[in-house]
Structure formats: structure tokens, C-alpha cells
Amino acid sequence: MGTSLQPLHTLSPGANLGAYIQTVGGFELLSAEAEKQLAEDLFYRQNLDAARQLVMSHLRFVVHIAKSYSGYGLNQGDLIQEGNVGLMKAVRRFNPEKGVRLVSFAVHWIKAEIHEFILRNWRIVKIATTKAQRKLFFNLRGQKKKLSWLTSAEARAVAADLNVDVAHVHDMEGRLAAHDTAFDAGVDEDDDTAWQAPAHYLEDRRYDPAAQVERENWQQSNIDHLAAAMAQLDERSRDILKARWLNETKATLHDLAGKYAVSAERIRQLEKNAMKKVRATMEA
């Protein structure tokens, strides 16, 4: 049973994808009894050779699943490789006592790894980050069979089918229709088209000298207003605010209560009143 299977490290859907597909297609399929015996050897006795045979006998199913994602423009070998990772994760987690075949259990893990790979590599900017966006991404591509935009009725139908807001459907449709754009103009572009590159009209104002002077003036103005407001407080209130908010090591209410021989609640009231006075002075 499985004695002719090759070591896992010798199999990779690399440059010769056709040879790989032909090789894995020739591996013997396991009967339900043989699969259960191997799964028990792995689950109860951590038999790594059993794990190898379970993985190898199911590689053809990964190829079949990966082919269904060929419309994303990504390398087929990479999709298969990611699916193989999902298969190995499934084999490691497979419990033979659950009464299901490994292929049924592994489908989720295989697709999950392929989905992650597609979302990481389909666009430069990640197109889907939340669970709802991921569901929309894969389902909307599958349901949208035409090149034209969805009508309002079609968008509502998709939203109802996927249990999401219509606005999310329109948003994902826009993302699917968008294309990556290089930041700089291509070396072969002429003057008539090069100006359209984002490098010519997207400006980073963080290092604009005028903006820096404006920020510094604004910060200094705030510091001056705060100093003027603090100067109007009595000495105790000023000390409380400095100790609670401005000093590098912040004092607690109980620290200040001990210092001024009052309750912590009284310190809190003094702090609140002082903050109110400072805020009123700065906003005046």
C-alpha cells in the first residue's frame, strides 16, 4: 500500500508542471479502509510515513481544485503549491473517528490556502481584508458572468444571496474593475502620456518647508496658550495638573492626596476644575 510513492521533497509543481500533474495523477487512490488505517497510524501513533502516504495519494485533488482558480492570472504551479500546504495542514488535523473521508475534510484547508495566496498576490494593494470582503471577492467573481456593470436589481440579488449590504457589493465591484498603476512613468512612455503617472501629481507635503513652518508655529502657539492658562491657576491647582499630566513621571491621586493632606476625591475635584479653567482660557 503506497510503497511506490516518492518522498514529498522530490515533488514540486515547478518548471515542468505537466510532468508533475502526470506523476501525481498516477498515484494510487486509497480505499476507505486503507485511508482509515493510515489516518489512525498518524492520529494515534504519529506515524510520519502514514502522513506522507495520505498526502501523496490526495495530491491529484489539489491539482483539480487549483485549476478552478486559473482565471485569476496567477501561476498554476504556485496555486497548486499553496493548495498542497493546505492539504498537509488538513492531514495533520484529520481525525479518523469523525466518520468522513479525508478529501471531504481537506477541501476547506486547500481552498483556504489558495484564497490567501490569491488575495496576497492578485493586486499590489490588498483587495480584501475583512471576512465579508473576502466572501464578496470570490463569490462576486463567480456570479458576475458578463463584462458590464451590475444593474441595481442584480446588485440587490447578489447582496441578498451573500447576506451583505448592497453598498458593499458596489464597492467590491469597483475594486474588481480597477487596475494597478505604476507610481512612476514607464521608460517607454512619451511626454504626452508620462504626465499621467501618479509621481507627477501625488505630492508628499510632510517635507514641504511652508507646511513645516506652519506646524511649528501652531505647536508653539499651543504651548504659549497653555503656559498662559496655567499661569492663571493657583499654585496648588497648577502643581496638580503638572504632576498628573505634564511631568515625565505621573503622580496618582493618592500621591497628591498625601502631599496636600486631603482625600483623593478632593484632588480629583481640584484637577477637574483646573482642567475646565485651562480649557476655557485656551478656547477664548
Side-chain angles (χ1 to χ4, degrees), residues 11-233:
L11 285 171
S12 176
N16 197 339
L17 181 59
Y20 170 85
I21 293 175
Q22 183 177 6
T23 299
V24 301
F27 290 157
E28 178 185 357
L29 291 175
L30 296 174
S31 65
E33 294 75 16
E35 178 182 291
K36 191 173 191 303
Q37 180 182 339
L38 289 170
E40 288 175 346
D41 283 344
L42 173 61
F43 190 78
Y44 295 111
R45 291 175 283 279
Q46 290 73 52
N47 186 332
L48 296 183
D49 184 64
R52 179 184 66 84
Q53 294 188 57
L54 288 170
V55 170
M56 302 282 275
S57 62
H58 287 78
L59 289 176
R60 67 172 68 194
F61 296 108
V62 177
V63 172
H64 175 73
I65 293 172
K67 284 182 178 180
S68 66
Y69 293 93
S70 59
Y72 291 90
L74 298 173
N75 182 275
Q76 191 72 29
D78 290 339
L79 293 173
I80 293 172
Q81 190 75 347
E82 294 297 321
N84 287 347
V85 172
L87 172 62
M88 287 185 281
K89 288 182 178 181
V91 167
R92 188 167 66 244
R93 293 168 171 81
F94 185 57
N95 185 343
E97 304 302 331
K98 294 298 183 179
V100 298
R101 294 297 299 269
L102 174 58
V103 66
S104 300
F105 176 77
V107 166
H108 163 77
W109 294 94
I110 295 169
K111 288 186 175 181
E113 291 297 321
I114 293 176
H115 285 185
E116 282 294 327
F117 177 76
I118 292 173
L119 291 172
R120 289 196 309 268
N121 295 276
W122 197 59
R123 292 276 172 80
I124 295 174
V125 178
K126 199 167 186 179
I127 195 170
T129 54
T130 67
K131 183 177 180 179
Q133 289 174 345
R134 291 168 184 236
K135 181 170 67 172
L136 259 177
F137 174 78
F138 289 103
N139 284 276
L140 189 57
R141 276 184 59 90
Q143 294 192 26
K144 191 176 178 184
K145 303 299 183 182
K146 56 186 180 180
L147 296 177
S148 59
W149 290 85
L150 295 175
T151 64
S152 297
E154 289 171 337
R156 287 195 299 270
V158 171
D161 186 42
L162 301 180
N163 194 27
V164 296
D165 293 337
V166 176
H168 293 161
V169 175
H170 288 305
D171 179 63
M172 182 55 68
E173 185 179 27
R175 295 187 185 193
L176 289 170
H179 299 282
D180 292 330
T181 301
F183 184 74
D184 297 302
V187 294
D188 57 343
E189 293 190 30
D190 54 33
D191 293 338
D192 293 332
T193 58
W195 65 270
Q196 300 177 23
H200 293 286
Y201 58 83
L202 292 181
E203 180 183 5
D204 186 353
R205 288 182 51 82
R206 290 176 300 171
Y207 307 107
D208 179 10
Q212 286 183 318
V213 171
E214 182 180 351
R215 284 195 298 270
E216 291 170 1
N217 289 341
W218 181 81
Q219 291 172 351
Q220 187 59 50
S221 176
N222 281 342
I223 293 173
D224 292 342
H225 279 79
L226 177 60
M230 293 285 287
Q232 297 183 25
L233 298 175

Side-chain angles (χ1 to χ4, degrees), residues 204-277:
D204 186 353
R205 288 182 51 82
R206 290 176 300 171
Y207 307 107
D208 179 10
Q212 286 183 318
V213 171
E214 182 180 351
R215 284 195 298 270
E216 291 170 1
N217 289 341
W218 181 81
Q219 291 172 351
Q220 187 59 50
S221 176
N222 281 342
I223 293 173
D224 292 342
H225 279 79
L226 177 60
M230 293 285 287
Q232 297 183 25
L233 298 175
D234 62 85
E235 184 177 352
R236 183 173 62 174
S237 297
R238 186 163 55 249
D239 180 57
I240 290 174
L241 283 191
K242 285 182 178 179
R244 291 280 291 157
W245 296 96
L246 302 179
N247 292 347
E248 184 174 347
T249 302
K250 306 296 187 293
T252 67
L253 293 175
H254 291 283
D255 292 336
L256 294 169
K259 179 178 179 180
Y260 289 105
V262 296
S263 66
E265 175 60 23
R266 178 56 180 158
I267 295 295
R268 188 192 66 77
Q269 292 173 355
L270 291 170
E271 177 188 20
K272 181 179 179 181
N273 292 335
M275 290 287 287
K276 187 182 299 184
K277 292 178 182 179

